[in-house]
Amino acid sequence: MSESPVPHEPPIYRRIADGLRARIMAGELRDGDRLPGENALMAEHDVARATARQALAVLINEGLAVPKRGSGVYVRLFKPIRRHGSRRLSREQWGQGRAIWDADTRGRPFTVDEVEVARENATEDVSAVLESGEVWVRRRRYSVDSRPVQLATSYFPAALVEGSAITVADTGPGGVYARLGDLGLPPAHFTEEVRARMPRPREAGLLGLPGGTPVIEVCRTAYTSGGLPVELNEMVLDSAAYVLQYDFDA
């Protein structure tokens, strides 16, 4: 009878990463704490610098740690945002003057910055969806618990929203969907396409993403009850910050 093969031991950098992860999960290392640096790991485990760097990179790529240039690598624990696909977009939410983000954050503090609002010529792809050659564009960044988590760019047919609060920075209670309702164009149907990809350099910078962290791209189109497209929203989400929830009837 042949002997069962002996399982291979994981490489040393993995074992170092496993030990650090266990300390994080046990609460020994807390959010914001500095992890042992490369020199400390080299001395403790008698390994080369490249091995110590690999161990830290494992935690960075898992979203458990973030490097700060010239300072070190720090624990980054963050309770994921549960993004409920249908509940957050219900008319009950924005129709009563509540922000869609209130449904996502459930009382956690959030901020919006990097806001840009401009009238632009539509790209070919945007024009094909909105059936408009000119659009009003709203760009912004969302942060939760002081951490950037999402970039969003919304496009609106210029002729439909010209002169409304959609064309200024502060859209008022209920946001753009409430303002579309004021214009007699309340959204009644949404479609979303979701895919994962690696971030572009500007996206990685604005979201503060460590190397190797993918993003989730969500592209949503809002339609009136008559089927008129009134908004195209392209969102880029930090994949480590989100849980996407969708409910379906059988």
Side-chain angles (χ1 to χ4, degrees):
M1 181 181 293
S2 61
E3 295 183 359
S4 298
V6 178
H8 291 292
E9 194 173 37
I12 182 63
Y13 79 90
R14 283 282 179 187
R15 301 202 300 273
I16 297 172
D18 290 345
L20 291 172
R21 187 189 306 104
R23 293 173 63 187
I24 293 172
M25 295 296 100
E28 182 181 342
L29 290 169
R30 300 179 180 275
D31 188 41
D33 285 352
R34 187 178 185 274
L35 291 175
E38 293 176 8
N39 290 337
L41 294 176
M42 290 165 62
E44 180 180 352
H45 299 280
D46 192 24
V47 295
R49 183 174 300 278
T51 301
R53 188 170 297 154
Q54 275 185 297
L56 293 172
V58 169
L59 300 179
I60 292 170
N61 291 336
E62 290 178 354
L64 291 176
V66 59
K68 296 183 180 180
R69 186 179 298 275
S71 178
V73 178
Y74 292 80
V75 176
R76 183 178 72 165
L77 293 179
F78 183 82
K79 181 181 178 182
I81 301 162
R82 185 168 292 275
R83 183 183 186 275
H84 195 288
S86 56
R87 185 182 303 151
R88 66 194 303 272
L89 295 173
S90 69
R91 189 189 298 263
E92 292 180 1
Q93 186 71 22
W94 50 265
Q96 296 182 19
R98 295 195 298 267
I100 289 175
W101 271 77
D102 289 336
D104 291 345
T105 56
R106 302 183 183 183
R108 296 164 68 182
F110 71 91
T111 58
V112 185
D113 65 358
E114 301 289 336
V115 178
E116 299 176 7
V117 184
R119 180 170 176 149
E120 300 177 3
N121 292 325
T123 65
E124 184 177 346
D125 289 343
V126 171
S127 178
V129 174
L130 295 180
E131 304 169 1
S132 176
E134 293 189 338
V135 290
W136 275 95
V137 186
R138 300 182 59 86
R139 298 180 177 90
R140 62 270 191 210
R141 177 177 67 176
Y142 295 94
S143 298
V144 175
D145 295 340
S146 300
R147 170 178 167 175
V149 294
Q150 182 188 132
L151 307 176
T153 304
S154 294
Y155 304 89
F156 304 86
L160 296 183
V161 302
E162 195 72 57
S164 73
I166 291 173
T167 65
V168 298
D170 185 359
T171 56
V176 295
Y177 293 151
R179 300 295 77 75
L180 285 169
D182 295 342
L183 294 170
L185 301 167
H189 177 73
F190 299 92
T191 63
E192 284 192 346
E193 297 179 353
V194 182
R195 73 182 182 106
R197 62 172 172 80
M198 298 307 295
R200 301 182 179 98
R202 181 178 181 274
E203 295 167 345
L206 285 172
L207 291 173
L209 299 177
T213 302
V215 294
I216 300 170
E217 183 178 78
V218 181
C219 186
R220 180 175 70 232
T221 307
Y223 299 89
T224 65
S225 59
L228 179 69
V230 290
E231 182 214 27
L232 174 64
N233 191 350
E234 297 174 343
M235 293 157 278
V236 178
L237 286 59
D238 175 357
S239 61
Y242 277 89
V243 172
L244 305 186
Q245 178 179 345
Y246 295 91
D247 296 334
F248 303 92
D249 292 330

